[in-house]
Amino acid sequence: MWLFGVPFILIGVGLLASALWRTIAAVRVGPPKISISKVKLCPGETFGVIYEQSFRTPVDLYDSKVELVFRESATYTQGTDTRTDTYEQVLESFDGPAGHFAASKTARQDGSMTIPETGMHTFIAQNNKLQWFVRVNVDVQGWPNMVEEYELTVSPERWL
């Protein structure tokens, strides 16, 4: 009983501690906010990105990064197993603010990104997905990284 039960108890306690750790981190740092200048994008188009980060308590922010990510996913069946392969490519990025921030302050960084001219449009089917994201990765001293993704829709042709 002990040999079988103890590993499961330890795994459960570890998962609970991880969830609490992330919740406590969210008490110190608000969720990152991203504003995109265009709703409808197409290959070759440039768009503006505004990243804002609020702080609820004084914190040291090691690093923050905003990335343009293209993700390709394929789900397939092999025998009785269903597998999903995912390929992700960071095409562009810019650094967000870093340093010491007082409580109730907001850091802001503006940037621009471009969907590559040869980039594929967004495609979602039952077993295949081609998706675009703006991802924010925030590294706060002594706390787990906060990663948020904001999905973009890239159309196959220009909107008039």
PDB file of all heavy atoms in Angstrom, residues 72-89:
ATOM      1  N   GLU A  72       1.993  25.068 -36.031  1.00  0.00           N
ATOM      2  CA  GLU A  72       1.393  24.069 -36.909  1.00  0.00           C
ATOM      3  C   GLU A  72       1.166  22.803 -36.098  1.00  0.00           C
ATOM      4  O   GLU A  72       2.095  22.288 -35.469  1.00  0.00           O
ATOM      5  CB  GLU A  72       2.342  23.801 -38.066  1.00  0.00           C
ATOM      6  CG  GLU A  72       1.846  22.842 -39.083  1.00  0.00           C
ATOM      7  CD  GLU A  72       2.834  22.657 -40.230  1.00  0.00           C
ATOM      8  OE1 GLU A  72       3.864  23.352 -40.283  1.00  0.00           O
ATOM      9  OE2 GLU A  72       2.560  21.787 -41.064  1.00  0.00           O
ATOM     10  N   SER A  73      -0.071  22.299 -36.092  1.00  0.00           N
ATOM     11  CA  SER A  73      -0.403  21.087 -35.340  1.00  0.00           C
ATOM     12  C   SER A  73      -1.060  20.076 -36.264  1.00  0.00           C
ATOM     13  O   SER A  73      -1.907  20.438 -37.083  1.00  0.00           O
ATOM     14  CB  SER A  73      -1.376  21.398 -34.198  1.00  0.00           C
ATOM     15  OG  SER A  73      -0.830  22.348 -33.323  1.00  0.00           O
ATOM     16  N   ALA A  74      -0.670  18.818 -36.118  1.00  0.00           N
ATOM     17  CA  ALA A  74      -1.272  17.730 -36.892  1.00  0.00           C
ATOM     18  C   ALA A  74      -1.604  16.587 -35.942  1.00  0.00           C
ATOM     19  O   ALA A  74      -0.748  16.146 -35.170  1.00  0.00           O
ATOM     20  CB  ALA A  74      -0.320  17.254 -37.977  1.00  0.00           C
ATOM     21  N   THR A  75      -2.833  16.132 -35.986  1.00  0.00           N
ATOM     22  CA  THR A  75      -3.278  15.019 -35.162  1.00  0.00           C
ATOM     23  C   THR A  75      -3.483  13.818 -36.064  1.00  0.00           C
ATOM     24  O   THR A  75      -4.098  13.928 -37.121  1.00  0.00           O
ATOM     25  CB  THR A  75      -4.594  15.372 -34.438  1.00  0.00           C
ATOM     26  OG1 THR A  75      -4.382  16.549 -33.648  1.00  0.00           O
ATOM     27  CG2 THR A  75      -5.057  14.242 -33.544  1.00  0.00           C
ATOM     28  N   TYR A  76      -2.958  12.679 -35.647  1.00  0.00           N
ATOM     29  CA  TYR A  76      -3.076  11.476 -36.459  1.00  0.00           C
ATOM     30  C   TYR A  76      -3.192  10.256 -35.557  1.00  0.00           C
ATOM     31  O   TYR A  76      -2.863  10.308 -34.376  1.00  0.00           O
ATOM     32  CB  TYR A  76      -1.888  11.331 -37.418  1.00  0.00           C
ATOM     33  CG  TYR A  76      -0.547  11.270 -36.727  1.00  0.00           C
ATOM     34  CD1 TYR A  76       0.029  10.055 -36.407  1.00  0.00           C
ATOM     35  CD2 TYR A  76       0.137  12.435 -36.385  1.00  0.00           C
ATOM     36  CE1 TYR A  76       1.258   9.984 -35.768  1.00  0.00           C
ATOM     37  CE2 TYR A  76       1.364  12.380 -35.749  1.00  0.00           C
ATOM     38  CZ  TYR A  76       1.915  11.153 -35.438  1.00  0.00           C
ATOM     39  OH  TYR A  76       3.124  11.107 -34.798  1.00  0.00           O
ATOM     40  N   THR A  77      -3.683   9.190 -36.139  1.00  0.00           N
ATOM     41  CA  THR A  77      -3.847   7.940 -35.412  1.00  0.00           C
ATOM     42  C   THR A  77      -2.793   6.955 -35.888  1.00  0.00           C
ATOM     43  O   THR A  77      -2.570   6.802 -37.086  1.00  0.00           O
ATOM     44  CB  THR A  77      -5.251   7.352 -35.646  1.00  0.00           C
ATOM     45  OG1 THR A  77      -6.221   8.315 -35.253  1.00  0.00           O
ATOM     46  CG2 THR A  77      -5.462   6.082 -34.852  1.00  0.00           C
ATOM     47  N   GLN A  78      -2.155   6.326 -34.909  1.00  0.00           N
ATOM     48  CA  GLN A  78      -1.132   5.327 -35.201  1.00  0.00           C
ATOM     49  C   GLN A  78      -1.501   4.088 -34.385  1.00  0.00           C
ATOM     50  O   GLN A  78      -1.289   4.060 -33.178  1.00  0.00           O
ATOM     51  CB  GLN A  78       0.242   5.878 -34.815  1.00  0.00           C
ATOM     52  CG  GLN A  78       1.401   5.074 -35.300  1.00  0.00           C
ATOM     53  CD  GLN A  78       2.715   5.794 -34.999  1.00  0.00           C
ATOM     54  OE1 GLN A  78       2.833   6.478 -33.984  1.00  0.00           O
ATOM     55  NE2 GLN A  78       3.687   5.623 -35.860  1.00  0.00           N
ATOM     56  N   GLY A  79      -2.093   3.100 -35.070  1.00  0.00           N
ATOM     57  CA  GLY A  79      -2.597   1.936 -34.348  1.00  0.00           C
ATOM     58  C   GLY A  79      -3.813   2.351 -33.543  1.00  0.00           C
ATOM     59  O   GLY A  79      -4.773   2.874 -34.085  1.00  0.00           O
ATOM     60  N   THR A  80      -3.761   2.158 -32.226  1.00  0.00           N
ATOM     61  CA  THR A  80      -4.859   2.578 -31.363  1.00  0.00           C
ATOM     62  C   THR A  80      -4.557   3.886 -30.645  1.00  0.00           C
ATOM     63  O   THR A  80      -5.374   4.373 -29.877  1.00  0.00           O
ATOM     64  CB  THR A  80      -5.160   1.491 -30.315  1.00  0.00           C
ATOM     65  OG1 THR A  80      -3.971   1.251 -29.550  1.00  0.00           O
ATOM     66  CG2 THR A  80      -5.622   0.202 -30.977  1.00  0.00           C
ATOM     67  N   ASP A  81      -3.384   4.467 -30.889  1.00  0.00           N
ATOM     68  CA  ASP A  81      -2.990   5.714 -30.238  1.00  0.00           C
ATOM     69  C   ASP A  81      -3.289   6.907 -31.136  1.00  0.00           C
ATOM     70  O   ASP A  81      -3.104   6.859 -32.347  1.00  0.00           O
ATOM     71  CB  ASP A  81      -1.490   5.714 -29.922  1.00  0.00           C
ATOM     72  CG  ASP A  81      -1.115   4.669 -28.900  1.00  0.00           C
ATOM     73  OD1 ASP A  81      -1.998   4.284 -28.106  1.00  0.00           O
ATOM     74  OD2 ASP A  81       0.051   4.240 -28.903  1.00  0.00           O
ATOM     75  N   THR A  82      -3.728   7.987 -30.531  1.00  0.00           N
ATOM     76  CA  THR A  82      -3.902   9.246 -31.243  1.00  0.00           C
ATOM     77  C   THR A  82      -2.807  10.185 -30.780  1.00  0.00           C
ATOM     78  O   THR A  82      -2.606  10.375 -29.582  1.00  0.00           O
ATOM     79  CB  THR A  82      -5.285   9.858 -30.961  1.00  0.00           C
ATOM     80  OG1 THR A  82      -6.274   8.932 -31.396  1.00  0.00           O
ATOM     81  CG2 THR A  82      -5.463  11.163 -31.696  1.00  0.00           C
ATOM     82  N   ARG A  83      -2.087  10.740 -31.716  1.00  0.00           N
ATOM     83  CA  ARG A  83      -0.949  11.605 -31.400  1.00  0.00           C
ATOM     84  C   ARG A  83      -1.141  12.971 -32.052  1.00  0.00           C
ATOM     85  O   ARG A  83      -1.752  13.070 -33.108  1.00  0.00           O
ATOM     86  CB  ARG A  83       0.347  10.998 -31.891  1.00  0.00           C
ATOM     87  CG  ARG A  83       0.681   9.665 -31.283  1.00  0.00           C
ATOM     88  CD  ARG A  83       1.964   9.105 -31.872  1.00  0.00           C
ATOM     89  NE  ARG A  83       2.216   7.770 -31.424  1.00  0.00           N
ATOM     90  CZ  ARG A  83       3.040   7.453 -30.435  1.00  0.00           C
ATOM     91  NH1 ARG A  83       3.697   8.390 -29.810  1.00  0.00           N
ATOM     92  NH2 ARG A  83       3.219   6.205 -30.101  1.00  0.00           N
ATOM     93  N   THR A  84      -0.572  13.980 -31.423  1.00  0.00           N
ATOM     94  CA  THR A  84      -0.561  15.320 -31.995  1.00  0.00           C
ATOM     95  C   THR A  84       0.872  15.812 -32.027  1.00  0.00           C
ATOM     96  O   THR A  84       1.540  15.861 -30.997  1.00  0.00           O
ATOM     97  CB  THR A  84      -1.431  16.298 -31.171  1.00  0.00           C
ATOM     98  OG1 THR A  84      -2.773  15.802 -31.151  1.00  0.00           O
ATOM     99  CG2 THR A  84      -1.405  17.682 -31.777  1.00  0.00           C
ATOM    100  N   ASP A  85       1.338  16.156 -33.206  1.00  0.00           N
ATOM    101  CA  ASP A  85       2.662  16.752 -33.368  1.00  0.00           C
ATOM    102  C   ASP A  85       2.474  18.246 -33.549  1.00  0.00           C
ATOM    103  O   ASP A  85       1.612  18.686 -34.327  1.00  0.00           O
ATOM    104  CB  ASP A  85       3.386  16.182 -34.585  1.00  0.00           C
ATOM    105  CG  ASP A  85       3.890  14.771 -34.348  1.00  0.00           C
ATOM    106  OD1 ASP A  85       4.029  14.388 -33.172  1.00  0.00           O
ATOM    107  OD2 ASP A  85       4.147  14.059 -35.336  1.00  0.00           O
ATOM    108  N   THR A  86       3.283  19.020 -32.844  1.00  0.00           N
ATOM    109  CA  THR A  86       3.189  20.475 -32.919  1.00  0.00           C
ATOM    110  C   THR A  86       4.565  21.034 -33.244  1.00  0.00           C
ATOM    111  O   THR A  86       5.561  20.657 -32.629  1.00  0.00           O
ATOM    112  CB  THR A  86       2.687  21.052 -31.582  1.00  0.00           C
ATOM    113  OG1 THR A  86       1.406  20.477 -31.295  1.00  0.00           O
ATOM    114  CG2 THR A  86       2.549  22.557 -31.645  1.00  0.00           C
ATOM    115  N   TYR A  87       4.578  21.917 -34.205  1.00  0.00           N
ATOM    116  CA  TYR A  87       5.796  22.625 -34.594  1.00  0.00           C
ATOM    117  C   TYR A  87       5.522  24.107 -34.384  1.00  0.00           C
ATOM    118  O   TYR A  87       4.503  24.631 -34.824  1.00  0.00           O
ATOM    119  CB  TYR A  87       6.130  22.344 -36.054  1.00  0.00           C
ATOM    120  CG  TYR A  87       7.219  23.230 -36.602  1.00  0.00           C
ATOM    121  CD1 TYR A  87       8.545  23.052 -36.235  1.00  0.00           C
ATOM    122  CD2 TYR A  87       6.919  24.264 -37.474  1.00  0.00           C
ATOM    123  CE1 TYR A  87       9.541  23.867 -36.721  1.00  0.00           C
ATOM    124  CE2 TYR A  87       7.910  25.094 -37.969  1.00  0.00           C
ATOM    125  CZ  TYR A  87       9.214  24.883 -37.594  1.00  0.00           C
ATOM    126  OH  TYR A  87      10.200  25.710 -38.069  1.00  0.00           O
ATOM    127  N   GLU A  88       6.426  24.768 -33.694  1.00  0.00           N
ATOM    128  CA  GLU A  88       6.241  26.173 -33.376  1.00  0.00           C
ATOM    129  C   GLU A  88       7.466  26.960 -33.816  1.00  0.00           C
ATOM    130  O   GLU A  88       8.593  26.523 -33.621  1.00  0.00           O
ATOM    131  CB  GLU A  88       6.035  26.305 -31.865  1.00  0.00           C
ATOM    132  CG  GLU A  88       5.566  27.635 -31.424  1.00  0.00           C
ATOM    133  CD  GLU A  88       5.193  27.630 -29.947  1.00  0.00           C
ATOM    134  OE1 GLU A  88       4.063  27.223 -29.632  1.00  0.00           O
ATOM    135  OE2 GLU A  88       6.040  28.021 -29.139  1.00  0.00           O
ATOM    136  N   GLN A  89       7.229  28.122 -34.404  1.00  0.00           N
ATOM    137  CA  GLN A  89       8.319  28.967 -34.885  1.00  0.00           C
ATOM    138  C   GLN A  89       8.078  30.403 -34.423  1.00  0.00           C
ATOM    139  O   GLN A  89       7.015  30.970 -34.687  1.00  0.00           O
ATOM    140  CB  GLN A  89       8.374  28.903 -36.405  1.00  0.00           C
ATOM    141  CG  GLN A  89       9.503  29.660 -37.013  1.00  0.00           C
ATOM    142  CD  GLN A  89       9.535  29.500 -38.532  1.00  0.00           C
ATOM    143  OE1 GLN A  89       8.605  28.986 -39.141  1.00  0.00           O
ATOM    144  NE2 GLN A  89      10.595  29.961 -39.132  1.00  0.00           N
TER     145      GLN A  89
END
